[in-house]
Amino acid sequence: MKTLIPILLVSTAMTGAAFADDLRATALEQFKPLPSTVPNVADNPTSPEKVDLGRALFFDPRLSASGVFSCYSCHNLTTGGDDNLETSIGHGWQKGPRNSPTVLNSVLNEAQFWDGRADDLKAQAKGPIQAGVEMANTPENVVVTLNSMPDYVAMFGTAFADDAEPVSFDNMARAIESFEATLITPAPFDAYLNGDDTALNDDEKAGLALFIDKGCSSCHSGVNVGGHGYYPFGLVEKPGADILPVGDKGRFKVTETVDDEYVFRAAPLRNVTVTAPYFHSGKVWDLKVAVQIMAESQLGEELSDTETDQIVAFLGTLEGAVPPVTLPTLPAETASTPRPTAEVK
Amino acid sequence: MKTLIPILLVSTAMTGAAFADDLRATALEQFKPLPSTVPNVADNPTSPEKVDLGRALFFDPRLSASGVFSCYSCHNLTTGGDDNLETSIGHGWQKGPRNSPTVLNSVLNEAQFWDGRADDLKAQAKGPIQAGVEMANTPENVVVTLNSMPDYVAMFGTAFADDAEPVSFDNMARAIESFEATLITPAPFDAYLNGDDTALNDDEKAGLALFIDKGCSSCHSGVNVGGHGYYPFGLVEKPGADILPVGDKGRFKVTETVDDEYVFRAAPLRNVTVTAPYFHSGKVWDLKVAVQIMAESQLGEELSDTETDQIVAFLGTLEGAVPPVTLPTLPAETASTPRPTAEVK
C-alpha cells in the first residue's frame, strides 16, 4: 500500500502561463491522458470479429438464466456504463452486495471489482453471469446456449479461428473483454493533459490543483484517476456504518489478511459525475458529499464549500464521450436453446 | 368480425413466369410491402428532434420506479423487438399477464396490445410505465423525473416548441411513438412484393401460396401480415387451456361484449421467426407447432409436414433488417431526480 504524501503544494497564487504550464506538468506526473487507440489487452489480441462477437454477447440477455439480464443491464452504456442503483437488482429481484462500477475505460484498471479480485475484464466477465443474485447462470448452460445458435457458432469460429473448440466460456469472456476495451471515453481533462489550456476553465483548474494539493491524487491517479492500488476506506476516520457496512470487509475476503479489512481498490473517477450513487455501498447520491466524505475519512481534511465545488468541477472534466455503439442483431434461438427460467434456487 | 373465406385456391401445379406473376398478383391483393419512408403517424407529426428524444426515452430505465426497466427491456431491439420470454418479468420479479409483442413495425398495426385496447403507440407507451407488474411508475413521478434533468427539459423544449408545457407524460408518449415509427424492417417478402422474383425460393413461394390458399391470410393480411382485425382464438376448435388460459378472456375486457370472449387481435407476423415464444400466453416455442395449432384451431385444417415446413419457410421471409440504432447518451440525474425504489406496493 502506498503512503499518503501530498506530492506537491501548488501555489494557488500563481497565475498566467507559468501557472498553466506548471499545473499541467504537475498533473502529467500523476495522470495520463487516455490513449488515442483501443488499448491492447494482455493475452487477448483484439480483432474486429472478436469485438463484434463481444458486442453481441454484451447485449445478450440469454447469458442469464432468466433471459432478463445481460452485461448491459448493470453496465448500461446510456447512463455512464453503470446502473445508477445503490446496488444492482438481479435474478429473483435480489439485491447485489455492492454498487455496480462503470464499464467505461475499465480495461485500463489494474484489477476489476471493488476488491480487485479479478485480474482483468475477461476474469471479471465470468463473475456476474454465475452469481446467483445477478445472472444466475452456469458456464455449462451458457456454452449449450451459445452452441444452440448456428450464427453464434460461426461468429466464435471466425473470432477464435485457431482454437480447437472456439465456443467456450473462456472465449465468451475474451470476446466481451475485447468489446469492452473499445469503451474509451476521451474527456476535457484529456484535452487539457494533451496541451489544450482552454479545455478546463479556472474553477476546474483550481479543482485540479486542489485535487493534487490535498492528496486526493495520492490514490486517485494514473490514466483512470484511480482504479489501481488498495486502501482502507476510513484511513484517517471511519465513515458511518450506513456508508461502510461492517459486514463487507472488502479485500480481506480476497487476501484473508487482517491488514486488508475494509480495504478497497481506489475507485477510478472517470465519468464519476454520471455514475451516482457512490462508494461500494452506493449510499451517497451527491458527488459533493462524496468528495467531503473522502476528504475527511481518507485525508483528515475539512474542505471548504468553495474547495469542494472546485474539486467537483474538476471531476466534471473527467466526463467523456462514449463511443457510438450500434445495437447488434443477435442470433435467433433454436429448438435446442435452453429455455429461460425465472426460478430462484 | 370478418368471415373466413379462402380467397383463392392457387393451383400449385402452375409453373414458370405465369405462376410467378399470378402468385405475386394474388399476394398483392392481400399484403402490402413496407413503405420506403418512415410512416406518418396520426396527430403526431415527426421531426428529427422528436425521434432523438423518443430514442432517449425508449432506452431510459429511469422511467420505471425501480430504475431497472426501460421500454427496451421488454422490446429488446437486439432480439426481434420483444423479450423472448413466455410473459415479461417486471417490477418485483412479477410475471406479466401476456407475451410481449414486438415493437418492430408496430406503428403499422391498426391497434396495439393483444386485445387492441390502445389505438396507437402513444396510447400504448403509457401502459407498461404505469403497470404495477411492469415499470410500476406514475405519470406524476415520470414528469418530476424528466423535469429534474435540464438536458431532458431542453430536448422536450426543442421537440415540442409550440407547447406551453413541453415536458408532459403525453409528450413523452408522443416522442416514444415517433422513435418507434422508425423501427421498420424491410424483408425478402417486401422485395418479392416489389417485383424481385429471386427474393423467395421455391419452398417459400409454395409456403406463400399455402398461406393464402389455406386461409391464413384471411386474418393475417395487410402490410404487417396481421395486426388488424379481431378473431376468437379457437374459431373452429379451442386449443388446450395451457395455450389459451381460461382466465384471460382477451378483448372481452375491452368491449365487455360476450362475443368478444377469447377474441384477440390477429398477431402481426413480421419477424415471427425471431419472436418466440408464441401466442398471448407465450406457451409455444416452436414456430412449426404454432402454425399447426393455428391451422387446426382457426381453420380446421390438418397441415402435412411439408405444408407446415413451407409455410414456416414463407414466414422466414418476413424477417427483416432492423435499422441501425445507436445508443443515446442519456441526461444525468440531479439532486432533485426521484430515487429508484425496488419496493413492491
Side-chain angles (χ1 to χ4, degrees), chain B residues 16 34-35 69 98 137 232 247 274 290 296 303 314 321 324 329:
Chain B
L34 286 172
F69 302 109
R98 290 182 191 148
N137 214 339
V274 292
E296 283 162 32
L303 297 176
F314 160 63
T329 294

Side-chain angles (χ1 to χ4, degrees), chain B residues 232-241 244 261-263 293 296-298:
Chain B
F233 190 1
L235 186 66
V236 177
E237 190 183 323
K238 283 235 175 308
L244 180 63
E261 282 191 356
Y262 305 107
V263 162
I293 290 172
E296 283 162 32
S297 63
Q298 305 305 100

Side-chain angles (χ1 to χ4, degrees), chain A residues 59 61 66 68-69 72 76-79 84-85 89-93 274 285 324-330 332-333 339-340 342, chain B residues 59 61 66 68-69 72 76-79 84-85 89-93 274 285 324-330 332-333 339-340 342:
Chain A
F59 282 100
S66 66
V68 172
F69 302 109
Y72 171 82
N76 191 317
L77 303 178
T78 72
T79 56
N84 295 356
L85 302 178
I89 289 176
H91 193 82
W93 209 243
V274 291
W285 284 84
V325 174
T326 302
L327 285 177
T329 293
L330 299 181
E333 295 101 331
R339 302 287 171 242
Chain B
F59 281 100
S66 67
V68 172
F69 302 109
Y72 171 81
N76 191 317
L77 303 179
T78 72
T79 57
N84 295 355
L85 302 178
I89 289 177
H91 193 82
W93 211 243
V274 292
W285 285 84
V325 174
T326 303
L327 286 177
T329 294
L330 299 182
E333 294 102 331
R339 302 286 171 244

Side-chain angles (χ1 to χ4, degrees), chain B residues 26-317:
Chain B
T26 309
L28 281 168
E29 285 168 20
Q30 323 251 329
F31 310 108
K32 250 177 75 177
L34 286 172
S36 57
T37 52
V38 169
N40 187 38
V41 178
D43 307 324
N44 189 18
T46 192
S47 72
E49 293 77 14
K50 220 190 259 186
V51 170
D52 281 349
L53 172 59
R55 184 188 300 107
L57 295 164
F58 184 85
F59 281 100
D60 200 326
R62 295 163 305 188
L63 295 189
S64 65
S66 67
V68 172
F69 302 109
S70 65
C71 306
Y72 171 81
S73 302
C74 300
H75 301 290
N76 191 317
L77 303 179
T78 72
T79 57
D82 68 341
D83 60 9
N84 295 355
L85 302 178
E86 205 171 275
T87 67
S88 299
I89 289 177
H91 193 82
W93 211 243
Q94 295 174 86
K95 260 189 104 176
R98 290 182 191 148
N99 180 264
S100 164
T102 180
V103 67
L104 302 174
N105 311 295
S106 59
V107 67
L108 298 169
N109 293 333
E110 192 186 70
Q112 306 299 330
F113 293 116
W114 281 94
D115 53 14
R117 68 184 183 276
D119 280 345
D120 51 33
L121 287 174
K122 61 182 160 298
Q124 188 280 329
K126 298 188 217 170
I129 292 176
Q130 299 179 74
V133 300
E134 298 185 61
M135 295 164 79
N137 214 339
T138 64
E140 295 71 31
N141 194 54
V142 166
V143 170
V144 170
T145 300
L146 296 171
N147 268 319
S148 74
M149 295 182 260
D151 286 352
Y152 261 132
V153 175
M155 288 168 88
F156 273 90
T158 313
F160 299 96
D162 296 339
D163 284 29
E165 216 171 327
V167 181
S168 68
F169 196 58
D170 280 349
N171 282 347
M172 172 211 73
R174 284 188 188 99
I176 291 173
E177 179 177 59
S178 291
F179 168 63
E180 291 178 337
T182 68
L183 302 173
I184 300 296
T185 67
F189 185 53
D190 297 291
Y192 176 77
L193 291 177
N194 287 332
D196 179 359
D197 261 340
T198 66
L200 267 58
N201 67 25
D202 288 347
D203 269 340
E204 292 160 353
K205 285 176 190 164
L208 166 59
L210 284 164
F211 192 82
I212 298 172
D213 186 24
K214 296 286 182 184
C216 312
S217 64
S218 302
C219 302
H220 298 283
S221 61
V223 66
N224 265 357
V225 195
H228 64 96
Y230 300 95
Y231 307 91
F233 190 1
L235 186 66
V236 177
E237 190 183 323
K238 283 235 175 308
D242 50 333
I243 292 164
L244 180 63
V246 287
D248 184 348
K249 294 195 173 175
R251 198 161 161 77
F252 173 76
K253 212 178 158 185
V254 182
T255 63
E256 294 188 346
T257 307
V258 177
D259 277 359
D260 279 341
E261 282 191 356
Y262 305 107
V263 162
F264 293 89
R265 189 195 59 178
L269 298 184
R270 285 189 179 271
N271 298 296
V272 69
T273 38
V274 292
T275 58
Y278 302 109
F279 304 126
H280 65 287
S281 57
K283 288 290 183 191
V284 176
W285 285 84
D286 186 333
L287 183 54
K288 200 169 160 179
V289 173
V291 167
Q292 286 166 332
I293 290 172
M294 276 279 105
E296 283 162 32
S297 63
Q298 305 305 100
L299 304 165
E301 280 271 359
E302 189 100 31
L303 297 176
S304 76
D305 218 47
T306 307
E307 287 174 330
T308 317
D309 283 341
Q310 288 175 331
I311 290 177
V312 168
F314 160 63
L315 294 175
T317 72

Side-chain angles (χ1 to χ4, degrees), chain A residues 83-322:
Chain A
D83 59 9
N84 295 356
L85 302 178
E86 205 172 276
T87 67
S88 299
I89 289 176
H91 193 82
W93 209 243
Q94 296 175 86
K95 261 188 103 174
R98 289 183 190 148
N99 181 262
S100 165
T102 180
V103 67
L104 302 174
N105 311 295
S106 59
V107 67
L108 298 168
N109 293 334
E110 192 185 70
Q112 306 299 330
F113 292 116
W114 281 94
D115 53 15
R117 69 182 181 277
D119 280 345
D120 52 32
L121 288 174
K122 62 182 159 299
Q124 188 280 330
K126 298 188 217 171
I129 292 176
Q130 299 179 74
V133 301
E134 297 185 62
M135 294 163 80
N137 214 338
T138 64
E140 296 70 32
N141 194 54
V142 166
V143 170
V144 170
T145 300
L146 296 171
N147 268 319
S148 74
M149 296 182 259
D151 286 352
Y152 261 133
V153 174
M155 288 168 88
F156 273 90
T158 313
F160 299 97
D162 296 339
D163 284 30
E165 215 169 328
V167 181
S168 69
F169 196 58
D170 280 349
N171 281 347
M172 172 211 73
R174 284 190 188 99
I176 291 173
E177 178 177 59
S178 291
F179 168 63
E180 291 179 337
T182 69
L183 302 173
I184 300 295
T185 67
F189 185 52
D190 297 290
Y192 176 77
L193 291 176
N194 287 332
D196 179 0
D197 261 341
T198 66
L200 266 60
N201 68 26
D202 288 346
D203 268 339
E204 292 159 352
K205 284 176 189 164
L208 166 59
L210 283 165
F211 191 83
I212 299 172
D213 186 24
K214 296 286 182 185
C216 312
S217 64
S218 303
C219 303
H220 297 283
S221 60
V223 65
N224 265 356
V225 195
H228 63 96
Y230 300 93
Y231 307 93
F233 190 3
L235 187 65
V236 177
E237 190 183 323
K238 282 234 174 311
D242 49 333
I243 291 165
L244 180 62
V246 288
D248 185 348
K249 294 194 174 176
R251 198 162 162 76
F252 173 76
K253 212 179 157 184
V254 182
T255 63
E256 295 188 343
T257 306
V258 177
D259 277 1
D260 279 341
E261 282 191 356
Y262 304 106
V263 161
F264 293 88
R265 190 195 58 179
L269 297 185
R270 285 189 179 272
N271 298 297
V272 70
T273 38
V274 291
T275 57
Y278 300 109
F279 304 126
H280 65 288
S281 57
K283 287 291 182 191
V284 176
W285 284 84
D286 187 332
L287 183 54
K288 199 169 163 179
V289 174
V291 168
Q292 286 166 332
I293 289 172
M294 275 280 105
E296 283 163 32
S297 63
Q298 305 306 100
L299 304 165
E301 280 271 0
E302 189 99 33
L303 297 176
S304 76
D305 217 48
T306 307
E307 287 173 329
T308 318
D309 282 340
Q310 288 175 331
I311 289 176
V312 168
F314 161 62
L315 293 175
T317 72
L318 301 173
E319 189 179 324
V322 181

